[in-house]
Amino acid sequence: MSTPAYFAHPSAVIDEGCTIGEGTKIWHFSHIMPGCTIGEHCNIGQNVVISPGVQLGKNVKVQNNVSIYTGVQCEDDVFLGPSMVFTNVINPRSAINRKSEYASTLVKTGASIGANATIVCGHDIGRFAFIGAGAVVTRNVPDYALVMGNPARQTGWMSEFGHKLKFNEEGIATCPESNERYSLQQGKVQKLTPPAV
C-alpha cells in the first residue's frame, strides 16, 4: 500500500472516494467526505467538515471549526477564517427535505473570509475580496471589495496583499506592501499591468 502524498492526523476521518492533492495537511477531528476534491498544498484545520461534491483549489487555508457544505466551490488561494459559516439552502426546515434545492456558492481566487462570517448561499465572492469578521453576506461581492457588517456592506477596496486601497482623483491606488497599482473605474477595480521596462 503506497503512502498518501498528503498528511492526515490520525483522528481525521477520510472517506473513500475523495480526492486530496499532494502536500495538503488535514488536522485533528476533521471529516473529508466522499466525492469532494481538495487541491494541492491546502491546510485543513481542526474540526473541519468538507461535504460531498465540494471543490477546493490549490493552497486553500481552512481554519478551525469550518463546515464546507455541498454546493460550495473555492478557487485557488482562498482563506476561510475560524468558525466562518457557509449555508446551502435558503429556507431550511427540519421536516422538509430540500437536498435538490442546494444553492451554489463560488469563492473566487485569493478571497479571504474573516472569522465568524456567514455566507448566505447563492452568492459569489469576487477575486481577492475581503469579508470582515462577523459579516453576513447576502449578495454578490465584487472583485477586490472590502465588506463588513450585518448585512454586509462594502466599505472599501483591498489589494491582493490585503491592504485597504486609497484611490486618488484619477482613480489610481498603490498597495503599500507590494507597490502594485490599481485602477478604480465605473465601480470596478483592476490591477494595472506594470509598465514594460
Side-chain angles (χ1 to χ4, degrees):
M1 186 173 176
S2 62
T3 303
Y6 60 87
F7 165 81
H9 188 271
S11 66
V13 176
I14 313 292
D15 290 341
E16 289 186 21
C18 55
T19 302
I20 302 172
E22 182 177 356
T24 285
K25 295 178 179 177
I26 301 166
W27 295 100
H28 307 64
F29 313 116
S30 289
H31 186 185
I32 312 303
M33 299 179 77
C36 68
T37 301
I38 301 174
E40 298 174 357
H41 304 292
C42 293
N43 192 76
I44 309 301
Q46 180 172 304
N47 197 36
V48 169
V49 174
I50 301 180
S51 295
V54 166
Q55 296 181 5
L56 304 183
K58 297 176 183 176
N59 196 42
V60 173
K61 303 291 192 293
V62 183
Q63 303 303 301
N64 296 348
N65 307 310
V66 174
S67 294
I68 309 176
Y69 297 117
T70 300
V72 175
Q73 178 182 349
C74 297
E75 295 180 345
D76 296 347
D77 300 318
V78 164
F79 176 88
L80 304 178
S83 301
M84 63 78 50
V85 174
F86 288 107
T87 69
N88 62 1
V89 173
I90 294 292
N91 56 342
R93 290 292 197 197
S94 178
I96 300 171
N97 186 330
R98 292 209 161 102
K99 289 184 178 179
S100 64
E101 301 176 27
Y102 288 164
S104 62
T105 297
L106 175 61
V107 184
K108 296 182 181 178
T109 299
S112 293
I113 301 177
N116 294 305
T118 298
I119 310 301
V120 175
C121 58
H123 302 102
D124 293 345
I125 309 300
R127 295 173 61 252
F128 301 101
F130 200 101
I131 313 301
V136 178
V137 173
T138 59
R139 62 183 71 180
N140 290 340
V141 176
D143 294 351
Y144 298 102
L146 169 64
V147 301
M148 298 188 225
N150 180 7
R153 301 276 187 239
Q154 186 172 350
T155 61
W157 302 97
M158 298 289 274
S159 74
E160 293 184 10
F161 276 65
H163 295 278
K164 195 164 183 180
L165 293 170
K166 297 177 183 177
F167 289 92
N168 63 21
E169 292 178 0
E170 288 78 40
I172 303 297
T174 302
C175 172
E177 184 173 355
S178 68
N179 289 319
E180 293 171 330
R181 296 168 71 243
Y182 296 82
S183 170
L184 173 59
Q185 302 293 330
Q186 298 178 335
K188 293 184 179 179
V189 168
Q190 292 183 350
K191 187 168 75 167
L192 296 174
T193 304
V197 178

